[in-house]
Amino acid sequence: MFISEHYLLTLLPLLILALSGWLLSLKSNNVTIVDTLWGMFFLTAIVFSFVLFSAPSLRAYLILVLVLIWSSRLSAYLHFRNHNKPEDLRYQAIRKRNEPNFRIKSFYLVFLLQAVLAWIISLPLYVSIQSETPLNLFDFLGVGLWIIGMTFEVIGDLQLARFKSNPKNKSKVLREGVWRYTRHPNYFGESCIWFAYGLIAIGAGIWWVIISPILMSYLLVKITGAALLEADIADRRPDYKTYIESTNRFIPWFPKS
């Protein structure tokens, strides 16, 4: 049974986390810190939900472990990637469009928006936490898909970080490893992870929360992920045009001639 009162309560710690992140961003005048908070929003929601139930099921422990691993890795990676770096180009563009007083506006345009979005997307995690249904085939399929997603995400991030660390690769395009088969292996992996959470929620008996991974995948491909990244990358890396012609945007496949 879906307990809406408990779900509403999980929004409160996310709002507190968003407020804390915004206050930190005022000190550095850099809102990129919200990227680090993204994974933490979900971990905070899941831990809070876990505490609300006095007798968590085996599925609740399963989803807690999966989210802990995923969110901790993602937040740590983004923190070290962005540490002591200028504000991300995405947020510089948002800042430019919303001056003057972006420092104040950034609370609801960046931090509050992402907190609420994370709360909405976290539905499969919540229903899995509160479920008492025994583990079944959907849970095992979900774990398998989660492993695939984490593999693409971790390998993609590591290969990209190693590629960027070499000064000789400045303005070049990474075409090796998993990047040979998809232009966005990390986003593809992220989508797989969220569909894995959706499968686990279906195993809990709540099928309609599959809308959450669909929404996440849409954001990754069309809004905040691939589409936004590729909007001007060809201007900075001329070889990216030929990369687009030969390599799938999202779903991995063999490169075209």
Side-chain angles (χ1 to χ4, degrees), residues 91-147:
Y91 300 120
Q92 288 184 31
I94 295 173
R95 180 184 295 274
K96 186 176 181 180
R97 291 196 302 266
N98 291 279
E99 290 289 12
N101 300 321
F102 178 73
R103 285 167 59 85
I104 305 300
K105 295 176 182 177
S106 63
F107 174 65
Y108 58 87
L109 288 176
V110 178
F111 292 89
L112 184 60
L113 175 63
Q114 293 205 28
V116 174
L117 188 60
W119 176 67
I120 295 171
I121 294 173
S122 70
L123 262 173
L125 310 179
Y126 177 80
V127 300
S128 298
I129 280 286
Q130 74 163 30
S131 171
E132 297 178 356
T133 306
L135 295 179
N136 52 58
L137 178 61
F138 286 104
D139 298 284
F140 296 114
L141 290 174
V143 171
L145 185 58
W146 185 90
I147 292 173

Side-chain angles (χ1 to χ4, degrees), residues 81 90 149 152-153 157 179 182-194 216-217 219-221 224-229 249-250:
R81 188 190 71 176
R90 296 168 297 156
F152 268 91
E153 193 168 310
D157 286 341
W179 297 84
T182 167
R183 304 201 302 269
H184 302 283
N186 44 358
Y187 293 151
F188 172 75
E190 187 78 356
S191 179
C192 287
I193 287 172
W194 279 97
M216 175 64 88
S217 298
L219 292 172
L220 289 171
V221 178
T224 62
L228 189 61
L229 181 65
R249 184 185 205 183
F250 195 68

Side-chain angles (χ1 to χ4, degrees), residues 1-170:
M1 181 178 65
F2 182 71
I3 307 175
S4 58
E5 294 84 359
H6 287 175
Y7 177 61
L8 288 172
L9 283 175
T10 63
L11 178 60
L12 179 60
L14 270 62
L15 296 179
I16 295 174
L17 185 58
L19 177 61
S20 301
W22 176 66
L23 292 174
L24 286 174
S25 77
L26 295 180
K27 183 178 180 180
S28 62
N29 199 33
N30 187 333
V31 302
T32 310
I33 189 177
V34 77
D35 288 350
T36 302
L37 293 181
W38 179 247
M40 291 296 101
F41 283 137
F42 295 100
L43 182 59
T44 301
I46 204 68
V47 169
F48 193 76
S49 301
F50 192 87
V51 171
L52 287 178
F53 295 96
S54 57
S57 66
L58 189 57
R59 179 178 286 103
Y61 282 101
L62 171 64
I63 204 74
L64 178 64
V65 170
L66 295 181
V67 173
L68 176 62
I69 295 171
W70 163 76
S71 64
S72 299
R73 188 217 70 91
L74 180 63
S75 291
Y77 170 76
L78 292 174
H79 171 73
F80 288 112
R81 188 190 71 176
N82 298 328
H83 186 60
N84 289 332
K85 299 284 181 63
E87 190 170 60
D88 189 277
L89 294 176
R90 296 168 297 156
Y91 300 120
Q92 288 184 31
I94 295 173
R95 180 184 295 274
K96 186 176 181 180
R97 291 196 302 266
N98 291 279
E99 290 289 12
N101 300 321
F102 178 73
R103 285 167 59 85
I104 305 300
K105 295 176 182 177
S106 63
F107 174 65
Y108 58 87
L109 288 176
V110 178
F111 292 89
L112 184 60
L113 175 63
Q114 293 205 28
V116 174
L117 188 60
W119 176 67
I120 295 171
I121 294 173
S122 70
L123 262 173
L125 310 179
Y126 177 80
V127 300
S128 298
I129 280 286
Q130 74 163 30
S131 171
E132 297 178 356
T133 306
L135 295 179
N136 52 58
L137 178 61
F138 286 104
D139 298 284
F140 296 114
L141 290 174
V143 171
L145 185 58
W146 185 90
I147 292 173
I148 293 173
M150 278 295 290
T151 301
F152 268 91
E153 193 168 310
V154 171
I155 292 178
D157 286 341
L158 288 175
Q159 290 177 343
L160 183 61
R162 184 169 63 245
F163 180 81
K164 287 184 173 181
S165 67
N166 188 344
K168 295 181 180 179
N169 293 326
K170 187 176 181 179

Side-chain angles (χ1 to χ4, degrees), residues 176-239:
E176 300 175 353
V178 293
W179 297 84
R180 172 178 169 82
Y181 305 100
T182 167
R183 304 201 302 269
H184 302 283
N186 44 358
Y187 293 151
F188 172 75
E190 187 78 356
S191 179
C192 287
I193 287 172
W194 279 97
F195 272 101
Y197 294 146
L199 284 173
I200 294 173
I202 290 175
I206 310 294
W207 62 269
W208 54 266
V209 293
I210 198 67
I211 190 67
S212 175
I214 293 174
L215 173 60
M216 175 64 88
S217 298
Y218 179 79
L219 292 172
L220 289 171
V221 178
K222 298 292 186 180
I223 307 296
T224 62
L228 189 61
L229 181 65
E230 293 188 346
D232 63 348
I233 194 171
D235 297 331
R236 293 179 280 115
R237 292 180 170 85
D239 286 346

